[in-house]
Amino acid sequence: MANCAIVGINWGDEGKGRMVDLITDHYDVVIRYQGGGNAGHTVVNEYGKFALHLLPSGIFRKGVVNILGNGVAVDCESLWTEMEDVRSKGVSITPENLKISDRASLLLPWHRLLDGLEEQRLADKKYGSTKQGIAPFYSDKFQKKTVQAGELLYPSHFQAHLEGLLEWKNLTIEKVYGAKPYTMDDLMAWVADYGEKLKPFICDTGAFLRKAQEEGKKFLFEAQLGSLRDLDYGIYPYTTSSNAIAAYAPVGSGAPWAKIDEIVGVVKAYSSCVGEGPFTCEWFGEEAEKLREAGNEYGAKTGRPRRVGPIDLVATRYGVEVQGATNIALTKLDVLSYLDKIPVCAHYELDGKKTDAFPFPAVLSEAKPVTEYMDGWKCDISGVRKWEDLPQAAQDFVLMVEKAIGCHIGYISVGPERDSIIIR
Ligand code: GDP
């Protein structure tokens, strides 16, 4: 298999981590290219169950090199805590199998503080941030007001740079939010603790990737969050603060010259959404509670109950288009087995008219779902491994989704474990 990106088609939590874990075997390098510790990829394998936030999901595979690319928000503290947790379950993490781009910017302690302060100020108009500091981090990065990981390797330069940033940032912390300012001692203690631990992992990952390509190595790009949370193409402003779409993968990875041959879009057999923003197909009450329970839809990072609803074909088709997906992995089909009839948000109604076009963000909250139903299969499908062994009603559902979204469904996931998969 040539270079591949695995991306989310919807709001995130589609099961990307599980798909990356499954197919890393075919790749030499797994690269995270955007986002930070604000979302979680759940992986279940021979080492146990993990909610990965920053580590690429290839970390469990021997011989695979994992990279945090320049587009990632490197939160030294969260990353180190996660590395220690994964190591404690017997997984080896060394500078040989984990590399941090020297050009990745560092998420500093004040980013998390400011994220919380701003959500507090917004009160009932809040964006639903996970308060991991991601939005303040990316705005500082684009203002050129943070430090790059590689600067940790040049201590006197790093300290002088940080001193300048501290003076500037304290203006906002004190004057805008009335909070306690940071001191250089606070920051240097943080650097001495977490920065020092990560130094051995920081290198010129761009040079590494160029050499790897010359040697014929294959890359797997791993996205965080889905199309609808992409900063430019998502449901702005209820998006994340970076580009989650596949087109950004080479840029955020340190391989801007790389060609992506296959884009696997991950779609869940129903919808879920963490946080705020319009969610057209949303269910409420008992119906929602049953689906949430069946799918265990609670945030990997926050434990928050996720908003849920039936599969949304309008949003999914749009998500497939913006990703340029070439193949789809449909996950959690097994979760729908309890339903007599399988609900599908087939169209939207906007301004009294039925539409299949995904609306502009400003009017999205005015759209209403048009729900249709398909026959349920009402039996346990979690042990099925072959397409022809799926009940006819389940096959019909998959074929209907495939037709509606205009992309081949090549993988059907029927359980969280690595081998609970049907390859079609
Ligand atoms: P990600 O951020 O896209 O990786 O998504 P999450 O980490 O939220 O993963 C989705 C959740 O569903 C995790 O708890 C997975 O273990 C689980 N999961 C993934 N695929 C399947 C599946 O096909 N069936 C079931 N029952 N669970 C799944």
Side-chain angles (χ1 to χ4, degrees):
M1 255 194 263
N3 293 342
C4 174
I6 295 204
V7 294
I9 294 297
N10 302 113
W11 297 265
D13 307 314
E14 299 93 345
K16 294 177 293 300
R18 173 253 187 292
M19 287 309 300
V20 180
D21 181 62
L22 176 76
I23 68 173
T24 40
D25 237 6
H26 303 285
Y27 295 90
D28 306 292
V29 187
V30 179
I31 316 160
R32 278 277 316 268
Y33 59 88
Q34 50 78 225
N38 52 327
H41 290 176
T42 311
V43 175
V44 184
N45 58 28
E46 67 268 29
Y47 295 102
K49 182 173 180 181
F50 301 85
L52 297 181
H53 301 297
L54 271 156
L55 286 173
S57 308
I59 201 72
F60 304 103
R61 298 279 194 175
K62 290 205 172 60
V64 170
V65 176
N66 295 272
I67 291 187
L68 294 180
N70 49 279
V72 171
V74 174
D75 177 338
C76 297
E77 195 174 330
S78 299
L79 177 58
W80 183 255
T81 309
E82 189 174 322
M83 285 165 70
E84 288 289 89
D85 177 48
V86 172
R87 277 173 166 157
S88 73
K89 310 237 171 74
V91 180
S92 163
I93 304 181
T94 67
E96 294 306 307
N97 72 341
L98 177 68
K99 298 182 189 298
I100 303 170
S101 166
D102 54 359
R103 287 177 176 270
S105 296
L106 295 186
L107 187 137
L108 297 167
W110 52 55
H111 291 130
R112 205 176 285 136
L113 171 81
L114 287 167
D115 206 351
L117 289 170
E118 178 57 10
E119 284 283 281
Q120 212 175 322
R121 189 191 70 80
L122 285 166
D124 61 345
K125 296 197 185 66
K126 67 182 188 311
Y127 293 145
S129 163
T130 53
K131 301 190 192 139
Q132 299 297 308
I134 304 300
F137 162 83
Y138 277 109
S139 35
D140 282 2
K141 174 174 170 175
F142 283 91
Q143 285 193 79
K144 300 160 288 177
K145 295 281 195 191
T146 185
V147 278
Q148 293 187 313
E151 293 179 59
L152 284 167
L153 307 176
Y154 304 94
S156 55
H157 167 93
F158 182 85
Q159 186 161 347
H161 192 180
L162 207 53
E163 261 162 13
L165 295 177
L166 174 74
E167 191 186 330
W168 171 77
K169 188 51 84 179
N170 273 342
L171 292 173
T172 310
I173 294 173
E174 280 188 287
K175 301 227 163 29
V176 176
Y177 294 103
K180 186 166 162 277
Y182 279 87
T183 65
M184 205 54 202
D185 284 350
D186 297 333
L187 295 179
M188 291 319 288
W190 178 84
V191 171
D193 202 358
Y194 298 106
E196 286 300 318
K197 286 172 177 150
L198 291 177
K199 262 189 191 175
F201 298 87
I202 297 168
C203 63
D204 181 350
T205 51
F208 173 85
L209 288 170
R210 269 192 303 281
K211 186 155 173 292
Q213 200 208 24
E214 280 161 23
E215 290 167 359
K217 301 263 162 64
K218 299 283 174 262
F219 305 160
L220 181 62
F221 302 100
E222 179 180 9
Q224 183 216 41
L225 296 169
S227 314
L228 303 174
R229 299 291 189 196
D230 181 89
L231 178 61
D232 289 274
Y233 295 95
I235 52 170
Y236 189 86
Y238 300 101
T239 58
T240 194
S241 302
S242 61
N243 290 108
I245 55 166
Y248 185 70
V251 175
S253 292
W257 33 262
K259 182 171 173 285
I260 309 179
D261 307 278
E262 189 173 15
I263 299 175
V264 177
V266 187
V267 174
K268 198 148 61 180
Y270 56 92
S271 301
S272 75
C273 163
V274 173
E276 311 294 320
F279 183 41
T280 312
C281 63
E282 184 165 13
W283 274 357
F284 300 93
E286 196 188 333
E287 201 177 29
E289 197 46 50
K290 278 199 185 138
L291 181 55
R292 188 176 297 119
E293 284 294 318
N296 191 25
E297 293 298 341
Y298 300 91
K301 179 82 195 179
T302 58
R304 283 189 285 186
R306 291 177 183 150
R307 299 159 74 193
V308 293
I311 191 166
D312 181 334
L313 297 178
V314 180
T316 303
R317 190 182 312 108
Y318 172 77
V320 166
E321 278 167 15
V322 297
Q323 295 285 11
T326 59
N327 196 356
I328 295 294
L330 185 71
T331 61
K332 298 189 112 170
L333 189 64
D334 54 306
V335 170
L336 301 185
S337 301
Y338 79 95
L339 288 158
D340 295 325
K341 292 265 169 209
I342 310 293
V344 175
C345 171
H347 316 277
Y348 286 178
E349 193 186 298
L350 189 63
D351 293 331
K353 292 193 200 87
K354 203 155 104 173
T355 176
D356 289 329
F358 190 65
F360 182 69
V363 291
L364 181 57
S365 59
E366 291 158 32
K368 305 261 178 309
V370 176
T371 308
E372 293 175 359
Y373 293 86
M374 295 193 68
D375 288 340
W377 44 93
K378 289 290 266 184
C379 62
D380 181 8
I381 57 167
S382 59
V384 176
R385 297 292 175 268
K386 289 197 198 122
W387 169 251
E388 54 272 25
D389 294 341
L390 267 183
Q392 189 60 46
Q395 289 191 13
D396 290 346
F397 174 76
V398 174
L399 294 173
M400 179 280 299
V401 174
E402 182 174 81
K403 187 156 179 254
I405 66 177
C407 189
H408 175 68
I409 297 178
Y411 301 90
I412 299 152
S413 173
V414 289
E417 303 80 17
R418 196 176 269 172
D419 68 344
S420 305
I421 196 89
I422 298 165
I423 299 179
R424 184 172 161 252

